[in-house]
Each structure stands twice: as structure tokens, then as C-alpha cells.
Amino acid sequence: MGHIWFLTGSQSLYGPETLAEVARQSQAVVARLNASGEIPVDIVWQPVVTEADAIRRLVLAANSDDECVGLICWMHTFSPAKLWIAGLKQLAKPLLHLHTQAGRELPFATLDQDFMNLNQSAHGDREFGYILTRLGVARKIVVGHTSDPAVGHKIGMWARACLGAADVARLKICSVGANMREVADTDGDKVGLQITFGAEVDAYGITEVVDYVNAVDPAVIDALVAEYADRYDIVPELRPGGERHAMLRDGAAQEAGIRAFLDDHGARAWTNSFQDLGALRQLPGFAAQRLMAQGYGYGPEGDWKTPLLVRAAAVMGEGLPGGASLMEDYTYNLVPGREGVLGSHMLEIAETLTTTRPRLEIHPLGLVPKDDPVRLVFDADPAAAVIVGIVDLGGRFRMVANVVDVVAPEAPMRCLPSARAYWKPRPGFYPALEDWLALGGGHHDAITTQFGAEVWVDFARIFGVELRVIE
Ligand code: MN
């Protein structure tokens, strides 16, 4: 799960008595943050640092601790920043500069020189901010007292970005089949992706996946079918005894088989190609839906960039209401004053976007000459959401995000046999889409309804990737 280290800076000039008080106060700050209920990981207090060598060693220890996903630094008093240069030059973890102080209110009537001596982060943190800027250290900055819920919230959102970044840095993405023929925006530089984000994309043949699907124990399929009956409204023809029940069992075998394939390869994200389904009996879109809800990133058409974002969104949103999914901007309503985007895909939208009970249905899919695929059908809940994509500009990556409002469609879409979301882009339909197109934003995105764009801002900063937010 990971944790975050809390470093408190000071200097030996103050003497042991004052430094003991510094330690007590910074422990109280950490305790308040841990009790805030806003931060999804433990913040681990570290002894107050006053020497350059100790700072450098602490940074190296943080770098080499796989469980440490980030550092929070606070200069409780004044910590001359030359003490920090050697350590900061080694820093390989995300940094949050917390600009706070122990007490909330100035005790004007009793305030004396001892108080001034102890409570000087107002200028101590400026000294620290200067050296961070001088060294070009990317960081999140949070200002405020830790009793303010907004402070805990901001740190919590940054901690989520740290968790997502740590996951992506070691993510393995299985590319089962290649990029869809002739398509550009889903393709690009896999080595560049790994150098930038850490995530490794490896290719596998469909035959190996088919072997996994065929090897699924019928008892596992029975258990999944029972779970489906629990969670979904299944159309009669797919129910046990129904004339097309075998196709639901094929769908269950695909879910279990692909999950086993991914787990055996240490992968938490994948892509496949509807142009290369080998001996699979149907497009595994239902499997993609199910696995996304279990936290596996996914991209269709051999798109190996979007699975990284869908996986990151799932990690960063864990425990929050809403969900994360692949999304494709599909078709528009262009009536003046009622403009909106209908997002969907062949099948592969995650059920985490709805709190309603999805329908489990089967329909033909003209583009894919296979058995009709089973699929979950639902409307995404109305909610604020962020859609985000990775653009390969050749030599570097750009992320493009748009804050949108998912709304109810104007009428029930009874004829559309796939899961979907209908949304209004911020700041407005026309400027948002003009910006998206101008920035080279692609046609696949991750959508999340669990957090706002600020988490993607923190995520992109950690990797040093440009992010343009349209909002
Ligand atoms: Mn597509």
C-alpha cells in the first residue's frame, strides 16, 4: 500500500531544548494529518534533521524504500538550505512542500521572543522554496494549518497521485495483438513510454491467451455465472437453461482466463485487438469490462497507452465513490444550447461508472466476425468527471485532460446495446473540443469520476510530463 515520509527541517543552532519542542510539534502535525481521514496512506514521522549528511542519507533511504511513495518536507524553524542541496540532488521520490506552522492562532497578548524563535516556518519555508526552485525540484506545494480539512484533502489527493505514480513506475502492460491497422493516435514509442513513466509494454500472441481461456475450470465458470446472477439483470436467453447460456459461459471463461494470463505475467493492464481474436469465440469486451472493475487497466485496438491511465486512475481512486474506465468520445449532440458528447465503445466501459444494476445482454457486433458477444449495458451516473489521454508527440509525451459533467441523456437510449456516458465538457462544448483538437488529444481516454483534475496534475508533475487541462 505504501507510506509517505515526513521530514522536518531545522538547525542545531537552536539547542537541544528547542529542537525537542520542534520534534514534539512536528509529531503533532503528523498525528493530525493521519487522523484527518483524507489521506489514503500512513504518514511516517522522521526525526528532525539539522545536518547536511543526515539529510542526504535520509533521502537515499527514502529512494531505496519501495514502500515509500513520497516525501513531505516542512521547515519548522529555519533550516539553512545549503544543508539540503546534496540531499535534494539525490531525490528520486515525489515531494510535497508543506508550508504550515504548529499553532493556528498568534497569541498576540503573550507573544514573546521565545515564541518568535520557535515559530518561524513563515520564513524558514521560503528559504527551502528558494533552493527547490534553484535546483529545479518539481513539487506540490500546500499552504495552511493542518486542522483545516482543505489541507488534509490536498495532501490526500497528492498522496493518491504518488500511489498511482508508484504503481505505474513498475506497471507491466500486456499487448495481446498489435495496434489496429492504419491507426496513428493509439500507436507510438513504447520505449519512450517506459523511459518516461516506467511502465513496460510487452507483446504476446493471442494463442497463449486462448490456451488460458480454454484451461479455465468449469467450476470457476459456475462461480462466475452465479456472481453475475447476483450483480446483474441477465436477459433470459443468457440465463442457465437459456438458449444462448453457452455464450455467457464463454464470456466467463474469457474473464477468468485473461485474468490468470495477466496475473501469471505480473501485469495489471492490457490491450488487445479485435482484428486478431484467434480462436476466441467472441470479442472479450465483457472480460475487459469485468477486469477494469477489478483494477486492471485496459485499452482496445492495441492501444497500450490508455491502459496505463485506466490503471493509474483505478489505483488513485481506490476507496472513493465513482469509478474509472476506458472511454471513447463517440458521437455528438449538436443542437444549439443542448450540445453534448456521447462516449462509449464497442463494449468496453467499466461498470464502476454506475450505481445502477447493469443489464447483461447479448447482441450482434458487425465489425467482428465471431459469436455475438455478451456485454454489460448501463448509463454512467451523473457526476463530475475527468477524461484524460496520453499523446505521443514524437520524442515526448503530452497528457490532455478535460473536466466534464456526466449528465442524464435527454431520453432513455433503449436501442443502444453498449454501456455509455453522456457528458457536457467544461468550460463549454466548443472551446473544450477546439482545445482538445489543437493539443492533438487522441480518440481514447481514461475517464474517472472519483477525483478531480488536480490528481492528474500531481501525477503528471511526478513524471515531468506536460499536462494541459481544459476546464
Ligand atoms: Mn477506438
Side-chain angles (χ1 to χ4, degrees):
M1 186 65 191
H3 49 241
I4 283 168
W5 286 14
F6 191 99
L7 274 56
T8 310
S10 189
Q11 62 180 331
S12 47
L13 194 69
Y14 298 118
E17 214 170 294
T18 300
L19 286 174
E21 184 58 21
V22 167
R24 275 192 295 276
Q25 292 189 347
S26 79
Q27 282 171 312
V29 163
V30 170
R32 266 200 300 276
L33 290 175
N34 279 328
S36 72
E38 294 276 0
I39 301 168
V41 297
D42 277 343
I43 297 177
V44 180
W45 183 83
Q46 302 289 344
V48 177
V49 286
T50 58
E51 306 290 342
D53 234 30
I55 291 168
R56 186 183 57 81
R57 282 195 302 270
L58 199 56
V59 169
L60 292 175
N63 287 349
S64 62
D65 179 354
D66 277 346
E67 291 300 306
C68 175
V69 298
L71 299 181
I72 298 174
C73 288
W74 172 42
M75 301 307 113
H76 178 291
T77 35
F78 194 82
S79 186
K82 290 177 182 175
L83 298 176
W84 287 83
I85 291 174
L88 289 171
K89 284 176 72 178
Q90 302 292 329
L91 180 65
K93 297 277 169 146
L95 178 67
L96 185 148
H97 182 190
L98 176 62
H99 185 42
T100 189
Q101 62 185 25
R104 183 164 206 170
E105 188 171 10
L106 278 183
F108 291 99
T110 58
L111 195 155
D112 57 11
Q113 192 54 44
D114 286 346
F115 182 93
M116 298 292 269
N117 197 39
L118 184 63
N119 296 280
Q120 44 181 306
S121 55
H123 63 280
D125 273 326
R126 280 172 164 77
E127 164 82 344
F128 188 61
Y130 162 73
I131 206 64
L132 292 173
T133 296
R134 175 74 192 265
L135 292 171
V137 177
R139 73 280 192 188
K140 170 85 167 183
I141 300 166
V142 175
V143 181
H145 194 259
T146 47
S147 62
D148 179 353
V151 168
H153 182 75
K154 285 177 189 169
I155 294 174
M157 290 295 127
W158 169 80
R160 290 179 177 279
C162 292
L163 288 170
D167 188 272
V168 162
R170 282 178 268 170
L171 181 63
K172 188 161 166 189
I173 302 169
C174 286
S175 176
V176 182
N179 187 68
M180 183 178 168
R181 290 187 274 280
E182 300 170 326
V183 175
D185 72 2
T186 52
D187 214 340
D189 179 1
K190 297 191 188 80
V191 177
L193 191 87
Q194 186 171 353
I195 291 169
T196 302
F197 292 97
E200 176 179 340
V201 182
D202 285 321
Y204 296 85
I206 188 69
T207 314
E208 191 182 343
V209 173
V210 170
D211 290 344
Y212 270 86
V213 171
N214 289 341
V216 173
D217 187 332
V220 171
I221 297 175
D222 292 342
L224 281 172
V225 168
E227 186 188 331
Y228 301 159
D230 238 28
R231 295 176 62 87
Y232 312 125
D233 289 335
I234 307 179
V235 292
E237 58 189 323
L238 289 178
R239 291 180 199 153
E243 60 195 30
R244 307 183 89 184
H245 179 62
M247 291 171 180
L248 182 59
R249 295 186 66 85
D250 288 343
Q254 289 184 343
E255 176 190 337
I258 293 169
R259 184 172 50 230
F261 165 80
L262 294 173
D263 290 349
D264 282 357
H265 291 83
R268 287 290 174 275
W270 64 299
T271 177
N272 69 329
S273 168
F274 73 90
Q275 292 175 324
D276 182 16
L277 293 178
L280 289 180
R281 295 198 187 94
Q282 57 180 270
L283 180 76
F286 175 59
Q289 290 184 297
R290 290 274 306 166
L291 291 171
M292 271 190 281
Q294 295 160 39
Y296 294 85
Y298 176 75
E301 297 145 29
D303 171 1
W304 40 264
K305 293 194 291 291
T306 306
L308 182 157
L309 296 175
V310 176
R311 168 64 187 171
V315 171
M316 298 192 296
E318 195 176 321
L320 298 175
S325 177
L326 163 76
M327 189 54 74
E328 184 171 79
D329 314 75
Y330 222 100
T331 192
Y332 294 143
N333 186 17
L334 289 176
V335 176
R338 289 163 40 200
E339 294 89 345
V341 181
L342 181 61
S344 189
H345 204 262
M346 282 176 173
L347 308 175
E348 304 93 343
I349 305 298
E351 66 187 271
T352 53
L353 296 180
T354 185
T355 50
T356 63
R357 190 173 163 89
R359 297 180 303 284
L360 180 43
E361 303 180 357
I362 182 166
H363 300 278
L365 187 60
L367 286 178
V368 180
K370 288 280 185 179
D371 285 354
D372 295 349
V374 299
R375 77 283 299 278
L376 295 171
V377 181
F378 57 87
D379 288 282
D381 289 350
V386 184
I387 62 175
V388 60
I390 296 178
V391 183
D392 186 339
L393 292 169
R396 70 185 178 97
F397 295 95
R398 166 185 288 163
M399 292 171 62
V400 183
N402 186 199
V403 181
V404 306
D405 294 292
V406 179
V407 298
E410 293 184 11
M413 292 182 282
R414 295 205 175 87
C415 303
L416 178 62
S418 55
R420 61 273 180 161
Y422 185 61
W423 68 78
K424 311 272 183 177
R426 297 186 201 172
F429 182 90
Y430 300 103
L433 295 172
E434 285 164 10
D435 280 356
W436 188 278
L437 294 172
L439 292 167
H443 84 285
H444 288 167
D445 335 294
I447 185 171
T448 173
T449 57
Q450 293 180 294
F451 50 80
E454 72 273 17
V455 178
W456 287 119
V457 171
D458 291 342
F459 177 88
R461 186 194 306 109
I462 289 167
F463 290 113
V465 171
E466 175 192 14
L467 167 61
R468 302 287 284 270
V469 181
I470 306 163
E471 59 187 333

